Amino acid sequence: MTGNRSRGAAAAGAVRFVGRTLRAEWHGIVVEPVRQLVRRGLSGIVLAFVAAFGVIFFHDITQHPAGRSLVWHLGGVTADLPLWLSLLRTPVSLYVPALDLPVWAGITQLFLAFALAELALGRARTLAVAYLTTLAGTMTARVMVALGPGWWGFGLPPSAGRILDTGPSAAVVGLFTYLAVVRRAPVVFALTGGSMVWESVAVPNLAGREHLIAVTAAIVLGLLHGRRLPIPALLAERPAARLGTPPTPPRSDPPVPRPDPPQYHLVPSLRARRDSPTPPASPEHLSHAADPPKCSTTSM
């Protein structure tokens, strides 16, 4: 009886834990972004509209031969390109749809990922996470091709360097993973990461590997979320310390007293003389002043 009670209590505790986790995940992933959308309106999902319309725009352009060449020169990325050119084209490659993936099915995921991330994280952080996860996949693909076949399955043959590496799929995977890590959403994390692992195992191609790299980069960024790095403290040091010059030791002697300000003597003005009290009059002046004035009489 005691064992049954303990197992029942453990099962009840597990059910309560799962319920609290799912409730918190629903509130952080769905309820709070919807409140932000109601408060801010459509201006809160500008990035989602821009990303969706950008993919549709580039998809329509690539239907024509001239437009396909233009899109390639603007956002076409492969692993055998020069590094500076690959970095220059990577931001535009986010909007260039991949050739082997359905466009209209991916636009829904793209819109949902950017909308939730923009409402929950803000516009600047959403752009940063989307770009960094995509850049991580692109740079890792170059490393894989440079290593060549082997390396315990990590390297790729040189022919993989000519595969077109475009599309917002890495950004979408990175945003969902980052949201799941920051908002403590295990269900979203399992769906995102598990689907990417299954994709890389079922179809071992370049895109599947880049998606795994995007998931890993998003996990690292999510774990660093809210933590202060010591970079500002290093930048705040004295320039002499950064250049290797020994800093001036602090003074140990008592401070020298500052001299008193000079005293200025004002020259008395005429007005001050007038306002000064008059000296007492002499007795002679007082006697003359007491005598009545003498009037001269004129004979008629």
Side-chain angles (χ1 to χ4, degrees), residues 98-122:
L99 299 179
D100 56 344
L101 294 177
V103 179
W104 299 105
I107 287 178
T108 305
Q109 299 179 3
L110 172 68
F111 185 86
L112 184 61
F114 272 88
L116 289 177
E118 186 176 1
L119 292 172
L121 306 173

Side-chain angles (χ1 to χ4, degrees), residues 244-264:
T245 306
T248 305
R251 296 176 59 100
S252 58
D253 52 343
V256 179
R258 297 178 59 183
D260 295 334
Q263 301 293 334
Y264 298 98

Side-chain angles (χ1 to χ4, degrees), residues 230-277:
I231 296 178
L234 294 177
L235 295 178
E237 292 180 357
R238 295 182 179 180
R242 292 199 300 266
L243 295 176
T245 306
T248 305
R251 296 176 59 100
S252 58
D253 52 343
V256 179
R258 297 178 59 183
D260 295 334
Q263 301 293 334
Y264 298 98
H265 300 281
L266 299 178
V267 179
S269 60
L270 296 177
R271 185 175 180 180
R273 292 179 180 178
R274 295 194 198 101
D275 296 339
S276 61

Side-chain angles (χ1 to χ4, degrees), residues 69 91 150 170 208 241 275 295:
S69 176
D275 296 339
C295 299

